[in-house]
Amino acid sequence: MTGARRFGTGVLGVGVLLGVLELVGRTGAAGDTWPPLSSVLSYGAGEPGRVILARATRATVAEAATGLLAGVLAGVAAAGLGLVVPWLRAGMSQLAVLLSTVPLIALGPVLVTTVGNERTPPVIAALGAGFAVFVAMSSAFSAPRTSLDDVFEVLGASRASTLARLRAPAAVPAFFDGLALAAPAALLGAVVGEWFGAPRGIGVLLVSSMQNFAVVQLWAAALCVSLVSLAAYGTLTGVRRASVRRFT
Amino acid sequence: MSGAVVDNGRPSRGTDAGHAAVELRGVVKEFPLSRRREPLRALDGVDLTIAHGEFVALLGPSGCGKSTVLRMIAGLEAPTAGSVEVAGGAPAALIERHRLGVAFQDAALLPWATAWDNVALPFRLAGRPVPEERVRALLETVGLEGFARARPKQLSGGMRQRISIARAMALEPDVLLLDEPFGALDAVTRRRLNLELGAVWARLRTTTVLVTHDVAEAVQLADRVVVMTGRPGALAHVEPVSAPRPRGEDFTRGHAFHEVVDRLVALLDDPSDGRR
Ligand SMILES: Nc1ncnc2c1ncn2[C@@H]1O[C@H](COP(=O)(O)OP(=O)(O)OP(=O)(O)O)[C@@H](O)[C@H]1O
Ligand SMILES: [Mg+2]
């Protein structure tokens, strides 16, 4: 009962918010860069808009997915390396923090000249995603010793089987934690990467809409990437919750 | 020496018949607290020799260092001074051969694995095939045959401890270390499991060190009951219990049993009396 009510309040809240957005757009209270929501939606559903948005979204999602995969692999591998070779751990987390403090947008020009404009979006996506996964996994791997570690030690477990049968399963919830943050980071990274002369994608669409003052298209593109990001985050949070139930 | 060496009337195990199963000599353990303060002395000169196939119970007030003694025998803690030998060598040598079994104060089970998989863990860590029949028999011994597929979260604290005891016994270790394994059990289940453990032990005669707060449990199960004093921990008294095995209800109801229990309880109440 309370679940249904909470859901009802949630829907109501979103409805009110959307109504306000629509109203502000209709009355032009915020100037002509704020279109009514209905015209953004009808642009997305209408003929040229749907095709343009779908093509751009597909391109961006593909780049983000490539970057996410590479970033997750690199993040897990780096955290795993820190676990196997402990004296590397401190240096690696410092390097990761250092990398993360570099604004990704500042890397754009550098990357365009090194890996090319087509590969810049997935690379920036990989950096953002990799950092999220690395931080989540290495904090899981450096969790304090428990009596389970003692049990494994007394039973004469090898390092490899301790890794496979204790560390890895124990880190599964943290992995999905990191992944739920990494997926939106990868999308953001891909969009930012596209600003530096990529051939297609949401980022390209954003830039060209801005330059051509296509306000409705600009909002539709932003809405599109936000929805994808939200969906990815929501799905992964669900997976994470299931993994917590399963692994703790 | 011939291979047929026998101590205390029991067949000795393995090739290390010339050594005691466990030998603590002048063991001191200090824990550093902080750079400024003096280290905490948890154990102050403990001497204890445990023969092969002997069952020793450790009694003592909370914080007197019982778990610390057990952890040092398990090789998890190194003595600050003195020496700890298990089967004539360092604990690590026994661990390497997968001949040590422990059940800690908290059950320490893998939360993602079923009861069955938790009991099978020692075989997997030793790189051996899991004998399904034996795992089932172990679960039956601790009365959990119906819970093989349950995960620790779905079991009570006492059930978890029983699984951890089954896991400790899985490889039929040379030395078995039990740290308050029945701590979370009700009196009735505890008594039933004590009888059960006594019966299993009478058959296997595994060298065992049991830490407990329950004096009756110690007297019922052990060949020798060691009473420790509080901070810093040291041995206050050693009580041999020579009653024959298996020790059933008739033993725990007998006069001699209660006389020993009462004396040890009094000693625990005022351990300074029995001090060296
Ligand atoms: N890792 C540690 N660091 C610092 N002090 C410790 C550590 N382990 C144990 N101690 C101290 O050593 C003393 C003995 O601890 P121990 O756990 O052996 O007691 P115990 O006899 O098992 O108590 P209980 O019956 O409550 O389990 C305690 O005073 C405790 O504070
Ligand atoms: Mg203890």
Side-chain angles (χ1 to χ4, degrees), chain A residues 147 150 153 155-156 245-246, chain B residues 71 98 106 112 151 153:
Chain A
S147 50
D150 293 340
E153 189 176 332
L155 289 174
R245 268 201 302 281
R246 182 67 187 78
Chain B
R71 289 176 62 80
H98 311 285
D106 63 328
W112 49 83
R151 291 205 282 123
K153 208 169 27 175

Side-chain angles (χ1 to χ4, degrees), chain B:
Chain B
M1 272 198 171
S2 73
V5 178
V6 166
D7 64 332
N8 300 345
R10 300 182 199 103
S12 58
R13 293 173 157 271
T15 54
D16 30 35
H19 309 280
V22 177
E23 181 147 28
L24 279 74
R25 251 174 287 151
V27 168
V28 174
K29 180 67 191 176
E30 289 179 344
F31 289 107
L33 291 176
S34 67
R35 233 168 276 164
R36 295 263 178 75
R37 286 162 60 194
E38 293 224 323
L40 177 105
R41 185 165 277 228
L43 292 174
D44 193 14
V46 171
D47 291 290
L48 182 62
T49 306
I50 301 172
H52 285 277
E54 192 181 19
F55 195 128
V56 169
L58 284 182
L59 279 176
S62 177
C64 73
K66 304 181 296 294
S67 297
T68 307
V69 168
L70 221 62
R71 289 176 62 80
M72 284 200 290
I73 300 173
L76 294 168
E77 219 76 77
T80 310
S83 70
V84 177
E85 281 193 358
V86 183
L94 202 68
I95 285 171
E96 210 173 318
R97 286 182 281 132
H98 311 285
R99 302 307 306 147
L100 197 60
V102 284
F104 287 111
Q105 227 164 336
D106 63 328
L109 303 177
L110 295 173
W112 49 83
T114 60
W116 200 93
D117 285 321
N118 267 296
V119 175
L121 181 72
F123 296 100
R124 297 192 169 126
L125 294 184
R128 294 179 205 161
V130 179
E132 307 209 353
E133 202 44 59
R134 168 126 179 90
V135 174
R136 204 169 309 129
L138 280 162
L139 281 171
E140 210 170 304
T141 306
V142 294
L144 291 174
E145 60 274 24
F147 293 89
R149 299 256 68 88
R151 291 205 282 123
K153 208 169 27 175
Q154 300 158 325
L155 299 172
S156 74
M159 288 162 130
R160 282 181 226 150
Q161 279 188 319
R162 276 138 76 188
I163 294 173
S164 102
I165 294 169
R167 179 179 63 187
M169 298 199 298
L171 293 175
E172 297 195 341
D174 290 345
V175 177
L176 184 61
L177 305 173
L178 305 173
D179 196 347
E180 293 181 45
F182 305 128
L185 294 181
D186 65 285
V188 177
T189 314
R190 188 167 185 147
R191 240 169 55 126
R192 195 181 68 66
L193 271 176
N194 277 339
L195 287 173
E196 196 76 56
L197 180 64
V200 171
W201 192 84
R203 204 153 33 77
L204 295 172
R205 304 268 165 164
T206 309
T207 309
T208 303
V209 184
L210 169 77
V211 170
T212 178
H213 283 292
D214 188 326
V215 180
E217 180 175 286
V219 176
Q220 188 194 334
L221 290 169
D223 295 318
R224 269 194 299 159
V225 180
V226 173
V227 181
M228 293 177 65
T229 55
R231 312 256 196 104
L235 304 195
H237 177 75
V238 179
E239 178 82 29
V241 184
S242 53
R245 293 173 191 276
R247 297 168 181 169
E249 304 254 330
D250 43 336
F251 171 65
T252 54
R253 283 204 208 96
H255 175 71
F257 175 78
H258 286 287
E259 198 248 330
V260 174
V261 169
D262 288 346
R263 191 146 40 79
L264 293 181
V265 169
L267 204 63
L268 277 169
D269 227 11
D270 186 12
S272 54
D273 277 356
R275 194 153 191 192
R276 281 179 263 198

Side-chain angles (χ1 to χ4, degrees), chain A residues 3-34:
Chain A
R5 179 180 298 173
R6 201 179 316 143
F7 183 72
T9 342
V11 169
L12 191 73
V14 172
V16 168
L17 196 68
L18 293 181
V20 170
L21 283 180
E22 176 73 16
L23 207 67
V24 172
R26 291 253 160 190
T27 55
D32 50 3
T33 53
W34 188 310

